[in-house]
Amino acid sequence: MLLTHRPDSASLGVARCWPFVATLVFGSVAFAQEPAGDLEAVMRRIEELEKKIASQDQAHNEQSEELAALKEAHEKHVLGLDEEILEVQGDSLKRYMNIYGFFQMNFVKTWFEKDSMLGAYALENSSFNSNFNLFFSSQMTETLSFLGELAFFFSPHGEIKSFEVSGASGTVFERIDARVADPINPSSTGISFFDGGLSIERIHLTYSPKDWLNILVGRFLTPYGIWNIDHCAPLFLTAHLPYLQINRLVPLSQTGLQIYGKFFPWERVYFDYALTLSNGQGPTESVFDLNENKGLGARLHLKLDFEKLTISGGTYAYHDKVTTDKKVIGFKGISPGSDQKEKFLWMEREEVEVYKQYVLASDLKLEFFGILLQAEYVFKYTQYEVPLLLEAQRLAMKGQNPLDVLYSPDFISRAAYVLLAYRLPLSKILGPVQVTPYFMFESSIVNDTLPMGDSLVFSGGLNVRPSPYVVLKAEYTYVALDELISALGVHFMYLQTAVSF
Amino acid sequence: MKKGTQNILLFGLAATAMLLLAAGGASADSPDDILVFTHKSAKIGNVSPAEIKDIFLKKRANWSQGAKVVPVHAPPSSAARNAFRQRVLSMEEFEEQNYWQDGKLRHGLEPPVSFGNPLRAIFRLDNGVGYCFRSDYVEGVVHVVLVIPSDGKSK
């Protein structure tokens, strides 16, 4: 019956309203029945509601946690963030010590006047390894790093130690002989081996909190010019070093402190600075300083780096006081009447040569469309406080009697080179093989008080880089010297293979 | 309104509409776009391609805002790495190899580390910067600081 009964709208309205009406009626009755001060039921109700809210909060928190876990799982799924893989990959972010380096092999052929002074100096046709350098580097933390470079040489073996001066007794010609007897087997008296040279080219710790502030302590390459910063044969275009490097008008490396940094004033504009404080130069500078004065230097460098054009220029100023000394030991005669407590052995330090040097080095580099124009200039003024007693060889070079007693005067040294090169646009034919012909002109005055020693050098050659690790060079060099040395000068042909690894 | 004025207004409206359409077309997202990104928490604003180039060539170790930065490359010889090299570093592969070999000898420079998925690396590296193609990008995981479209002009 109920199923078949279709209620009319009036009865539907009553049916919808009746719970409301019932609540009102029963509520009124209940309210009327409960005393006004009895709050127990209300308190119970509040407690129930609080419990309900707490349980709902807990459920909400559980759901949030579940949601976060689901989100993380989703990210892991999407990114493949498998913990095991991350452990392995995270290892590759760790810093290890890197070992790398370079070496070079040379062949040199020379042509010169056999009856000139060069006859005593010039090399015969020779093949030799002139460098084998090993680098060690590590980025220990985000801001701490170290770099070390060891150079292995066969030198000083074969280097000339002294000349025999004609007519002067007691003078002998000597070469440095670096052969030593086998210390393990003393009975093997005829067996010896070369104890070749080893040089710590640089070893320093660097703290780099900012691009504009890096603090370096240790032995470092002097931050001057282009050649000294390039430093390695695979980075040089030419097969021979320019004379301003060979003559070391600026110390090539120093031991002490360097503060340097880089600013970016505008996009593609780099401004570098460096301040150096070191032992300076001297016979023992890499180990200890022989005077209180420190070598001070400052470098400024600006570079504009555009797509097809790079211009950079810099200057380095350096001042130092160089001391060379000797230790003299003597004995006082002990006479019968002398006080026995008086020291009979004495030792003195005697300064042999002390001079101040003021150096200014400038460099310029221009690269555009494969053309490279590079130049460096060094000026050095040497001012003596304790002048050097000139040895017989120097006296002869000055045109003096080798037996005279003369001291070196203050003097000026200058050297410059200009290098022009063009990287041939052969990449479509040769791929990554780079072929660069070059020409270099050098002028140097080692000592303006000497009548000889000035030179003009002309070099031309080809630099081929078949891979990032190998550079091949073929070069012809002509050195024009003072007539007193050789009117015809000297000609060199270099073949060099420089390898970095 | 005079007919001449009406014509000018209509022409102006048409030209504006065409410009908007053209601009809309130029800024359309392409799967070949390279997105350069940092960690989600890094407070780095938009950066220029030149700054990104300096960072990936290790000419600078800090953002221009001052914070340290660790560049993370896509794997060598990957499509993303090649595209990044051409569009941002403006180098051929052998030129980049020469650059790092020379930099190693000059200053002890080491090239940036490479990861199979730079997104994954930057997700974990607070001070990292990496890149990937838009097609490999996952929304909400990292913070995009630069978009380099296939024509090389950054957005």
Side-chain angles (χ1 to χ4, degrees):
Chain A
M1 284 289 288
L2 282 170
L3 288 172
T4 54
H5 175 69
R6 184 184 177 88
D8 59 16
S9 59
S11 47
L12 265 177
V14 171
R16 281 170 188 161
C17 289
W18 101 262
F20 178 66
V21 173
T23 307
L24 271 179
V25 171
F26 286 110
S28 307
V29 171
F31 191 72
Q33 284 174 349
E34 292 288 333
D38 188 2
L39 296 172
E40 281 182 19
V42 177
M43 293 302 288
R44 273 199 302 275
R45 182 67 183 145
I46 289 171
E47 275 177 23
E48 282 169 11
L49 286 171
E50 280 178 344
K51 281 179 186 171
K52 196 174 177 182
I53 289 168
S55 71
Q56 281 179 347
D57 279 351
Q58 193 182 347
H60 175 72
N61 289 340
E62 282 170 3
Q63 280 179 346
S64 297
E65 283 171 13
E66 196 179 344
L67 192 66
L70 280 170
K71 193 178 171 189
E72 195 178 336
H74 170 73
E75 281 173 346
K76 281 182 178 178
H77 174 71
V78 172
L79 294 171
L81 283 173
D82 182 79
E83 289 300 324
E84 198 176 335
I85 293 170
L86 274 172
E87 282 297 313
V88 175
Q89 296 213 336
D91 279 349
S92 61
L93 276 182
K94 288 179 186 168
R95 304 296 179 185
Y96 296 101
M97 187 172 77
N98 300 299
I99 301 176
Y100 51 95
F102 75 94
F103 64 91
Q104 68 203 64
M105 292 168 288
N106 303 291
F107 174 81
V108 182
K109 182 171 174 59
T110 54
W111 293 271
F112 54 90
E113 286 177 278
K114 296 290 181 192
D115 57 351
S116 72
M117 286 177 74
L118 288 171
Y121 276 104
L123 291 165
E124 299 299 330
N125 302 337
S126 293
S127 293
F128 56 93
N129 270 342
S130 54
N131 270 101
F132 172 42
N133 290 30
L134 273 185
F135 292 67
F136 305 86
S137 72
S138 179
Q139 183 80 40
M140 289 91 80
T141 70
E142 206 171 58
T143 52
L144 270 184
S145 63
F146 105 90
L147 175 65
E149 181 186 352
L150 282 178
F152 299 84
F153 305 100
F154 288 112
S155 61
H157 185 76
E159 210 169 85
I160 294 169
K161 190 176 177 184
S162 62
F163 277 84
E164 183 179 315
V165 180
S166 178
S169 62
T171 58
V172 289
F173 173 78
E174 266 189 290
R175 283 189 188 279
I176 293 173
D177 191 332
R179 280 175 295 186
V180 294
D182 184 352
I184 307 297
N185 185 5
S187 63
S188 58
T189 49
I191 299 172
S192 60
F193 60 87
F194 290 108
D195 186 16
L198 180 64
S199 161
I200 301 174
E201 295 281 287
R202 49 183 156 174
I203 175 83
H204 48 74
L205 176 73
T206 308
Y207 172 59
S208 310
K210 298 285 176 193
D211 284 321
W212 54 268
L213 180 65
N214 300 271
I215 302 167
L216 178 158
V217 286
R219 186 162 182 79
F220 53 86
L221 299 180
T222 301
Y224 92 93
I226 300 164
W227 223 279
N228 203 50
I229 289 171
D230 281 353
H231 176 67
C232 312
L235 304 183
F236 304 149
L237 270 176
T238 62
H240 81 277
L241 291 173
Y243 275 57
L244 61 84
Q245 283 284 111
I246 293 169
N247 289 324
R248 302 188 175 205
L249 299 184
V250 186
L252 303 185
S253 51
Q254 301 175 50
T255 302
L257 172 77
Q258 186 186 160
I259 297 172
Y260 67 96
K262 188 179 278 182
F263 291 93
F264 308 88
W266 300 282
E267 206 166 84
R268 299 177 189 280
V269 178
Y270 308 88
F271 175 71
D272 296 68
Y273 78 94
L275 302 168
T276 58
L277 173 70
S278 71
N279 285 344
Q281 282 187 292
T284 59
E285 58 82 23
S286 57
V287 188
F288 55 85
D289 201 353
L290 291 175
N291 61 39
E292 289 298 318
N293 292 70
K294 298 298 160 198
L296 292 171
R299 155 94 164 162
L300 296 175
H301 183 258
L302 186 69
K303 184 176 182 182
L304 313 176
D305 189 1
F306 302 107
E307 283 295 313
K308 299 288 180 191
L309 172 69
T310 303
I311 308 169
S312 61
T315 189
Y316 179 70
Y318 176 79
H319 171 64
D320 184 20
K321 183 176 174 180
V322 181
T323 301
T324 305
D325 67 0
K326 66 178 180 183
K327 306 286 192 296
V328 182
I329 296 173
F331 300 94
K332 287 177 181 169
I334 305 171
S335 61
S338 67
D339 184 357
Q340 291 297 313
K341 289 177 183 173
E342 189 183 347
K343 289 178 183 174
F344 66 92
L345 176 69
W346 57 268
M347 186 187 288
E348 273 183 3
R349 174 174 177 258
E350 198 175 299
E351 289 178 336
V352 178
E353 183 185 25
V354 179
Y355 62 88
K356 287 179 180 172
Q357 54 179 359
Y358 302 87
V359 184
L360 189 69
S362 301
D363 58 271
L364 180 72
K365 194 172 183 180
L366 193 62
E367 291 171 277
F368 55 101
F369 298 103
I371 296 171
L372 168 72
L373 181 64
Q374 177 179 316
E376 287 188 58
Y377 173 74
V378 176
F379 171 89
K380 176 174 160 183
Y381 175 58
T382 302
Q383 185 183 35
Y384 278 99
E385 287 185 4
V386 178
L388 179 70
L389 180 63
L390 292 176
E391 57 198 24
Q393 181 193 346
R394 278 284 173 85
L395 289 169
M397 285 175 74
K398 287 173 87 69
Q400 301 280 338
N401 184 339
L403 301 176
D404 283 353
V405 176
L406 278 178
Y407 291 91
S408 176
D410 298 347
F411 66 92
I412 287 171
S413 312
R414 290 191 197 94
Y417 76 82
V418 179
L419 172 68
L420 181 65
Y422 178 53
R423 183 167 297 159
L424 299 176
L426 300 173
S427 57
K428 285 182 182 169
I429 304 165
L430 299 175
V433 179
Q434 294 181 337
V435 181
T436 311
Y438 59 85
F439 174 79
M440 186 161 82
F441 168 72
E442 297 173 64
S443 169
S444 67
I445 299 169
V446 177
N447 183 331
D448 69 338
T449 64
L450 289 177
M452 61 178 88
D454 303 351
S455 60
L456 295 175
V457 184
F458 304 87
S459 309
L462 195 68
N463 179 303
V464 181
R465 191 173 189 176
S467 93
Y469 312 102
V470 179
V471 180
L472 308 169
K473 303 171 197 175
E475 181 180 297
Y476 164 77
T477 295
Y478 170 66
V479 183
L481 295 163
D482 192 276
E483 282 187 7
L484 284 168
I485 299 174
S486 171
L488 296 178
V490 57
H491 305 258
F492 294 89
M493 190 191 75
Y494 295 95
L495 295 174
Q496 186 185 87
T497 304
V499 180
S500 61
F501 53 90
Chain B
M1 194 180 286
K2 287 182 180 176
K3 201 171 182 180
T5 315
Q6 266 184 329
N7 285 340
I8 291 168
L9 273 173
L10 281 170
F11 178 76
L13 280 169
T16 310
M18 283 176 71
L19 276 173
L20 284 171
L21 278 171
S27 63
D29 294 341
S30 158
D32 289 339
D33 291 348
I34 289 177
L35 307 188
V36 181
F37 46 77
T38 61
H39 191 265
K40 264 195 292 191
S41 66
K43 293 182 175 65
I44 304 294
N46 287 344
V47 295
S48 69
E51 189 173 347
I52 293 295
K53 180 178 177 178
D54 285 349
I55 288 167
F56 275 86
L57 292 180
K58 291 201 173 173
K59 287 181 179 176
R60 59 192 306 164
N62 296 72
W63 292 106
S64 51
Q65 289 95 328
K68 278 272 172 196
V69 56
V70 177
V72 174
H73 263 309
S77 305
S78 65
R81 178 75 172 265
N82 290 337
F84 185 81
R85 186 188 304 113
Q86 282 167 7
R87 291 186 218 169
V88 179
L89 305 183
S90 306
M91 284 179 174
E92 296 295 328
E93 188 173 3
F94 75 91
E95 288 174 318
E96 194 189 353
Q97 285 177 343
N98 288 352
Y99 176 85
W100 290 114
Q101 191 62 21
D102 295 353
K104 202 160 72 167
L105 295 177
R106 268 193 199 101
H107 310 294
L109 268 188
E110 285 291 328
V113 289
S114 300
F115 273 80
N117 183 351
L119 266 175
R120 202 170 4 183
I122 302 305
F123 182 75
R124 297 286 289 233
L125 264 180
D126 292 348
N127 54 356
V129 58
Y131 58 86
C132 69
F133 281 126
R134 189 186 289 280
S135 53
D136 299 328
Y137 178 67
V138 179
E139 195 69 46
V141 175
V142 289
H143 170 56
V144 175
V145 291
L146 179 68
V147 178
I148 299 161
S150 47
D151 64 2
K153 291 173 185 168
S154 63
K155 294 184 213 172

